[in-house]
Amino acid sequence: MRKWIGVILLLMVSATVALAQVTKVKGRVTDKDTGEGIPFAAVYLEGTTVGVSCDLDGYFAFETRDVSSNILSASLLGYETQSFVIVPGSFSEINFKLKLIENELKAAVVKPDNRYMKRILKAIDEARDRNNPDKKSTYSCKTYTKIELDLVNPQDRLFKALLPKAFHFVYDYTDTSVVSGKPYLPGLIAESTARRYHTTDPEKTGEIIEASHISGLNPTNTLKQYTGSMPLKVNFYENFINAFDVEFPSPIANSGMLFYNYFLIDSLQVDARKTYKIRFHPKKAISSPAFDGEMLIDAGDWALREIHAKMQKDGKVNWLRDVVVDVENQRLNDSTWFHGNEKIYADFSVTLRDSSKMLAMIGRREIAYSDPIIGEGALDQIDTLAGNRSKKFKVTVQEDAGFHGDAYWDAARPYSLSERERGIYQMVDSVQNAPTYKAMYKLINMFATGYLDAKYIGFGTYYNLFSFNDVEGPRLRLGFRTTKETSRKVRLTGYTAYGFRDKQWKGGGTLEVMFGSQPFRKLTFEGGYDMAQLGKGNGLIAENGSNLFNSLFAIAGRRKYSPVLRAEVYYTHEFTEGVTGNFSLEHFTYYANKHVPLILPDGRSLKSISANRLHLQARLSWGESFTRGIFDKTNFYSKYPVVTIDVIGALKGITPRDYSYLTTEVTMDWKLRLPPVGTSKIRLNGGHIQGKLPYLMLKLHEGNGNWFYDGNSFSCMNPYEFVSDSWVTLFWEHNFGGFFLGKIPGIKKLQLQEVFTLRTTYGYLSKQNRDGMVMMFPPGLHELKYPYVEVGAGITNILRMFRVDCFFRLTHGFKVAFNFGVDIKF
């Protein structure tokens, strides 16, 4: 263990860059006589334009690569200026104590002048579209992006005790955060250069990553797609800034007066242009997260020149202890404004106390924009670089992106590296070859993917090794899959399982053949025989939850498993980034058991029924974020609704006891952000099945069989409780983000978030499936006849980890024991 920790730290150190040349300063300015903080005092490096004003409590912090001055001063009208000598290129914590000038001037008292600020904000709003780079019809530019991950509090006693003495030299690389004042060890670093482009007709923003370097990783790694400027875009001209799924109101939003008090601190000359320095602070009545900081506004164009914004004190949410955003915009020769530089700092920690000594993580990202081309000719370079095909995708990675040498990066970086920093990069290869590092990497990768990888074969998944249920009793399962070292085009996955109660072997396998990752094209062959529960959660066929966690929290009597034999071949084809089609041929055989009987109206029992289907699916989205792995494409977020259309046709006469039918189904998923009152997740689903069918092939409404929260099933509904052949279903969940609880003293500190859920469905059976029943319904299975409704209220972010919801069933009593339920979620 000691060796593994040491190697990980060595790898982290080997990724460090650009630390020694940064001057970092933080501290407080107070009144020498009263000890109270002095708001809005100016703190600056003598002889430079580098500096910042203090917040309402007199605190300040900033960092700069300008190492030309070693004199730090603080001043404010009515006080004597005080100066300290600092060491450039290092961290300093300086506390000023300013003396009031006797008999000359009274200490300045600054009050918010929101009436005057209304005029300034109105002028900014009127010029918003003109100054917002993302409102320009067309532009392209170059970007340099750097991402860092750092380990906070590496001096933790337990951590230090486990660290081998041979690796204690890593503490020579310890630095200090200018935001928190905490020590940290530099970690993973990624750099990229890209061509970014934007059009408004049609609305599209994308980038082509020309070069990418991630410390310690192979040049062919798939993480290059994350190293550009597209993830976590920041534009203060938008009314809200989304950072880590938290909506912060922009200080220059047209509704900014609802969230902030403003203070006009100074009028400056910047680049020979009149510029206002304005501080903004959240209003006390605001319970949702907001920023605290200062900004420079060009008084001629009413454009945002610079902004320094930090998450408000006591505004911590989830695992975020601090968030800081710094943005500089540039005025071009044609008098238009464009992106300049952008920095984001985030401090992630399980505990949010600033005094905590627990290990935590810091994430940083810096983007430098250059060579902007606006209007005509902006996309010529993009077309030349990668062709029109690249504009179909939000992020395109050039094939040779990972193979650029030192000379390229020396020219691409906006600042040069020291000899020490260059030497750090050269240590990475030797660390990678250490056996202990390789072993730890495999272990961490297993927890992330479920598979413990050897060179060519991975074994897993570990969470399915042992489970139990009413049908199989104790169950063991062993599986494998081939790794990318075997092939990056073909992957084989398989497993076998055995139930000690039913004494049956089960198993399955998948063969994936990749034709391309961008656009995504994949052919898959899949088959198997295993236990499954129909009408559960996210689909018609749901795996039996064969892991120990689900087994332990299953609700007795609510799981009804039956054997299913399936064979599928399906092809996934990405037409454009927002249009994906799936085409599949499917065979299912459903076997009877005591939980799921197959009894004809005349009383005869069947051993099985089957279906042979052609399944066509179209998924339509706009502006959605994706990640692309070697064999997978994962969808993340779109601010627009995502629509999925399914058409399934089954043909009779191919296998014994099969049936003909036609299913059409439409699903809409929408994550609707409604700051400052939270975020809604909406799923609307409707469909119709044409055909005279046994109940297993009709719509079995989704019932939850355990105590875990499932956003796509009904918590108070049993599996196999309701059946339809025409239906419409609504799942609506709204997270208020602490909008109400954040206003209650004492409760506010817990950072709890309130959640409300409404789930309802209505469906019916056509006459042929109700009166001319093909197969007898098992006990407890009913037609809906009128809407089913359940509501839920819950609390999330409990101890930063847990969520608890209470659900109430409002209709369809049926004397069931589940009119009330409690679900939990991590």
Side-chain angles (χ1 to χ4, degrees), residues 695-739:
Y695 68 92
L696 287 179
M697 297 180 185
L698 299 174
K699 171 67 173 181
L700 293 169
H701 292 275
E702 302 88 348
N704 194 355
N706 57 52
W707 295 108
F708 286 118
Y709 179 90
D710 183 346
N712 297 313
S713 68
F714 294 93
S715 293
C716 297
M717 182 188 292
N718 286 315
Y720 290 88
E721 185 174 354
F722 295 112
V723 63
S724 304
D725 57 20
S726 295
W727 72 94
V728 61
T729 300
L730 172 66
F731 293 94
W732 174 42
E733 172 195 306
H734 187 82
N735 186 327
F736 287 93
F739 184 80

Side-chain angles (χ1 to χ4, degrees), residues 251-552:
I252 59 171
N254 50 29
S255 58
M257 298 294 294
L258 297 176
F259 303 97
Y260 296 102
N261 285 318
Y262 297 88
F263 304 82
L264 182 58
I265 302 301
D266 204 351
S267 178
L268 312 170
Q269 289 290 319
V270 180
D271 295 336
R273 296 182 61 82
K274 184 178 180 180
T275 303
Y276 292 127
K277 176 182 281 192
I278 300 169
R279 284 209 66 95
F280 49 89
H281 299 276
K283 292 186 174 181
K284 292 183 178 180
I286 298 301
S287 58
S288 56
F291 286 125
D292 189 339
E294 69 177 28
M295 56 186 174
L296 298 182
I297 301 296
D298 185 275
D301 296 333
W302 299 110
L304 177 67
R305 179 181 287 273
E306 294 181 17
I307 187 167
H308 171 78
K310 180 181 179 181
M311 185 169 67
Q312 72 193 86
K313 188 178 181 181
D314 298 326
K316 306 174 180 70
V317 293
N318 297 329
W319 291 36
L320 284 174
R321 187 159 51 184
D322 275 309
V323 175
V324 182
V325 182
D326 290 282
V327 171
E328 297 180 12
N329 292 327
Q330 55 180 318
R331 192 171 189 264
L332 306 180
N333 293 332
D334 63 356
S335 301
T336 61
W337 288 84
F338 195 71
H339 304 293
N341 291 279
E342 175 187 306
K343 296 179 181 178
I344 297 177
Y345 168 102
D347 187 341
F348 303 94
S349 176
V350 175
T351 174
L352 301 184
R353 291 182 293 108
D354 290 334
S355 59
S356 172
K357 301 296 184 180
M358 290 182 62
L359 292 173
M361 293 293 295
I362 292 175
R364 311 166 187 267
R365 190 194 67 183
E366 176 183 351
I367 304 175
Y369 297 85
S370 61
D371 299 343
I373 303 175
I374 299 174
E376 185 177 355
L379 299 184
D380 291 347
Q381 291 182 344
I382 302 298
D383 293 338
T384 301
L385 186 65
N388 289 320
R389 169 183 163 275
S390 67
K391 286 183 284 184
K392 294 181 181 180
F393 303 101
K394 184 175 292 187
V395 177
T396 301
V397 181
Q398 296 286 78
E399 292 184 0
D400 62 345
F403 296 92
H404 292 272
D406 292 341
Y408 176 91
W409 290 109
D410 288 342
R413 294 186 185 103
Y415 42 81
S416 59
L417 300 181
S418 67
E419 289 301 319
R420 168 184 170 274
E421 294 163 346
R422 292 180 187 276
I424 291 173
Y425 267 101
Q426 297 172 3
M427 297 169 58
V428 174
D429 290 340
S430 59
V431 173
Q432 275 191 301
N433 292 326
T436 48
Y437 163 74
K438 292 181 178 180
M440 179 59 79
Y441 177 86
K442 289 180 180 179
L443 183 62
I444 295 174
N445 186 66
M446 183 190 72
F447 283 105
T449 66
Y451 287 89
L452 179 62
D453 288 338
K455 184 173 183 180
Y456 297 110
I457 299 291
F459 300 94
T461 51
Y462 67 88
Y463 45 79
N464 292 125
L465 288 175
F466 175 77
S467 61
F468 55 88
N469 59 69
D470 295 338
V471 178
E472 299 175 282
R475 168 187 166 115
L476 293 178
R477 169 173 159 165
L478 299 175
F480 76 95
R481 72 176 184 187
T482 57
T483 68
K484 63 182 180 181
E485 301 299 327
T486 304
S487 174
R488 300 175 72 93
K489 294 294 184 181
V490 178
R491 181 168 68 181
L492 179 64
T493 305
Y495 76 93
T496 184
Y498 182 77
F500 288 89
R501 177 176 295 170
D502 64 357
K503 300 185 184 304
Q504 288 190 16
W505 287 96
K506 298 92 178 175
T510 303
L511 176 65
E512 302 164 88
V513 181
M514 288 294 300
F515 298 106
S517 60
Q518 193 177 37
F520 190 83
R521 311 278 167 82
K522 183 170 76 169
L523 179 65
T524 304
F525 301 88
E526 186 171 0
Y529 171 80
D530 206 341
M531 306 300 295
Q533 179 172 299
L534 282 69
K536 174 187 177 295
N538 301 314
L540 178 66
I541 299 289
E543 190 179 348
N544 65 352
S546 59
N547 64 69
L548 182 60
F549 207 52
N550 281 338
S551 299
L552 290 172

Side-chain angles (χ1 to χ4, degrees), residues 17-19 21-26 43 45 49-52 60-67 72 86 89-92 146 148 150 175-181 184 308 324 326 328 343-345 362 364-366 415:
V17 64
L19 294 174
Q21 297 173 326
V22 178
T23 299
K24 302 179 180 182
V25 183
K26 75 183 298 284
V43 181
L45 291 173
T49 59
V50 178
V52 70
F60 68 91
F62 69 89
E63 61 181 74
T64 178
R65 288 186 174 276
D66 188 337
V67 293
L72 183 71
I86 64 171
S90 65
F91 171 81
S92 302
K146 183 181 71 175
E148 295 181 22
D150 306 317
D175 207 333
T176 306
S177 167
V178 72
V179 177
S180 65
Y184 67 86
H308 171 78
V324 182
D326 290 282
E328 297 180 12
K343 296 179 181 178
I344 297 177
Y345 168 102
I362 292 175
R364 311 166 187 267
R365 190 194 67 183
E366 176 183 351
Y415 42 81

